[in-house]
Amino acid sequence: MVTLQPTTTPYLLLRTESGNRYLPLVGSYCWTVGRSDDNNFVLPDRWISRNHAMLQCMETGEFYLIDLGSRNGSFVNGRRVSVPVTLRHGDSLTFGQTELEFFSPTVNYQANAPSSSQSDDLTATSTLHVRRLISVMVVDIRDFTGLTRQLDEKILSELIGTWFRHSGSIIREHGSWVDKYIGDAIMAVWFHGSRGISNEEVGSICHALSDLHKMTEDLYNQYPLPFPLRIGAGINTGYAMVGNTGSGDRPDYTALGDTVNAAFRLESSTKELRLDIALGETTYKYLLPLGAEQSGFKQYTVNLKGYDKPTLTYAGTFADLDSLLERQPQGQ
């Protein structure tokens, strides 16, 4: 453990009888906390599980706390967490009988964000800066409410923590990051060039979704679940304004607008269609060179919440997605 206080880097503060210990959150995007030696931060507290919790840093600079199914739970400001929770500067974290404080200097919230303007006044309300072509993927765990009613709290916490952790790794492997954790869902964003999307880029998005599906299915074999674990997804491509939003003490690099909203609505439409994946028209257009027409995705008209007119979508199953990926040449 480090005893010198970091000056500009995010860190955890552990107060002990022999003095304060500072645990810098640097050199990675993910840190584990637990009793066993394979953790980034080893805490010798018998009330702490061997692999207790994980802190994950997003591309926005935000930090999430994810409980890994610990026996005695993880707490933020006295409240037990069962899904990923965004940490705020000064939050109190409790693992077993060990208390830590989370600190993150404001300047570091933008450290990993793409730079669109270096002259922003961070003390004022930030605005969106750049119009970019993006693809948004929203992935949701199906029947999550049913799981919460039938699963033991410890198993549920470990399950959801494992799913979020693996999801983040898969999406990073395919060129993006988890932009938002939303209860039992995640949102990821891929940024594209102004001239459109290459076959390789759209292929990476499809491979990411296929890997998420397979990972989710595998969890059913690892945990005593009342029914198979499934996901649904919406993918939408279009232009959005991206940049920092919110107040200067909490900027958030993200994308907003109709492209993002439609991705969420498309994911919801899969439940009505009784299918797994719903694609926006533009996303489907970029999939045509990869053989989308022959893969099984079909056109549907859906009424998305908040939209005045019916929307066209191309929807299908994960089997259809795998059929599409099998048609791709090696290397795409």
Side-chain angles (χ1 to χ4, degrees):
M1 291 186 181
V2 176
T3 57
L4 295 177
Q5 181 176 2
T7 55
T8 60
T9 59
Y11 63 93
L12 297 176
L13 170 61
L14 174 63
R15 302 183 189 276
T16 69
E17 294 181 358
S18 58
N20 292 339
R21 291 187 171 181
Y22 299 90
L23 316 179
L25 300 169
V26 296
S28 181
Y29 65 90
C30 178
W31 300 264
T32 56
V33 178
R35 201 176 69 250
S36 67
D37 293 336
D38 59 353
N39 290 284
N40 299 102
F41 301 131
V42 180
L43 301 177
D45 178 342
R46 68 187 183 92
W47 298 98
I48 291 178
S49 297
R50 293 180 61 82
N51 299 104
H52 196 100
M54 177 178 72
L55 285 87
Q56 184 164 341
C57 180
M58 316 302 290
E59 292 289 334
T60 61
E62 285 183 309
F63 280 80
Y64 278 86
L65 175 67
I66 303 172
D67 185 83
L68 298 179
S70 61
R71 175 178 297 180
N72 294 309
S74 300
F75 296 80
V76 177
N77 299 325
R79 183 177 179 180
R80 184 165 186 164
V81 301
S82 57
V83 296
V85 172
T86 306
L87 295 179
R88 305 276 178 172
H89 182 74
D91 277 348
S92 173
L93 314 182
T94 304
F95 308 122
Q97 294 187 345
T98 301
E99 295 186 1
L100 302 96
E101 295 171 64
F102 170 78
F103 293 99
S104 183
T106 302
V107 67
N108 285 298
Y109 280 112
Q110 287 182 299
N112 296 323
S115 176
S116 58
S117 173
Q118 298 298 325
S119 59
D120 297 329
D121 180 3
L122 295 182
T123 62
T125 299
S126 303
T127 58
L128 297 178
H129 303 304
V130 182
R131 187 172 182 263
R132 294 284 300 272
L133 179 64
I134 65 171
S135 289
V136 182
M137 177 193 293
V138 176
V139 181
D140 171 81
I141 298 178
R142 290 287 185 261
D143 301 320
F144 185 73
T145 302
L147 279 177
T148 62
R149 293 172 177 170
Q150 299 182 56
L151 274 186
D152 175 80
E153 187 178 62
K154 179 183 182 300
I155 296 176
L156 177 65
S157 180
E158 183 175 349
L159 171 69
I160 195 67
T162 300
W163 187 78
F164 278 123
R165 180 168 41 133
H166 290 335
S167 295
S169 297
I170 288 170
I171 289 171
R172 280 182 175 272
E173 288 172 5
H174 293 285
S176 183
W177 67 91
V178 177
D179 185 86
K180 288 286 184 294
Y181 289 112
I182 314 112
D184 57 348
I186 56 173
M187 166 185 154
V189 179
W190 279 262
F191 289 86
H192 308 298
S194 58
R195 296 183 178 180
I197 309 173
S198 67
N199 290 350
E200 183 178 0
E201 285 179 292
V202 73
S204 291
I205 297 171
C206 292
H207 278 291
L209 181 54
S210 177
D211 288 350
L212 287 169
H213 165 63
K214 292 170 184 175
M215 177 272 292
T216 304
E217 280 195 327
D218 288 343
L219 291 180
Y220 179 66
N221 300 319
Q222 300 177 34
Y223 295 93
L225 305 181
F227 46 80
L229 199 62
R230 300 183 303 112
I231 57 173
I235 305 177
N236 196 39
T237 301
Y239 283 90
M241 297 304 292
V242 300
N244 291 312
T245 61
S247 61
D249 65 343
R250 193 61 171 172
D252 181 11
Y253 192 89
T254 190
L256 295 176
D258 184 67
T259 298
V260 177
N261 294 339
F264 280 91
R265 302 309 185 197
L266 286 169
E267 186 281 318
S268 295
S269 74
T270 61
K271 301 168 188 175
E272 175 186 341
L273 295 172
R274 297 183 180 277
L275 293 169
D276 301 320
I277 307 161
L279 307 172
E281 282 190 88
T282 303
T283 305
Y284 183 75
K285 180 190 75 173
Y286 282 111
L287 284 172
L288 288 175
L290 303 184
E293 284 184 311
Q294 294 79 39
S295 64
F297 282 86
K298 299 186 184 308
Q299 179 179 298
Y300 297 87
T301 300
V302 292
N303 294 307
L304 302 184
K305 183 178 179 181
Y307 288 76
D308 296 333
K309 298 180 180 179
T311 300
L312 287 181
T313 183
Y314 294 83
T317 66
F318 282 109
D320 296 329
L321 179 64
D322 289 339
S323 174
L324 171 66
L325 294 175
E326 289 170 2
R327 296 173 183 274
Q328 294 187 52
Q330 291 295 321
Q332 288 190 356

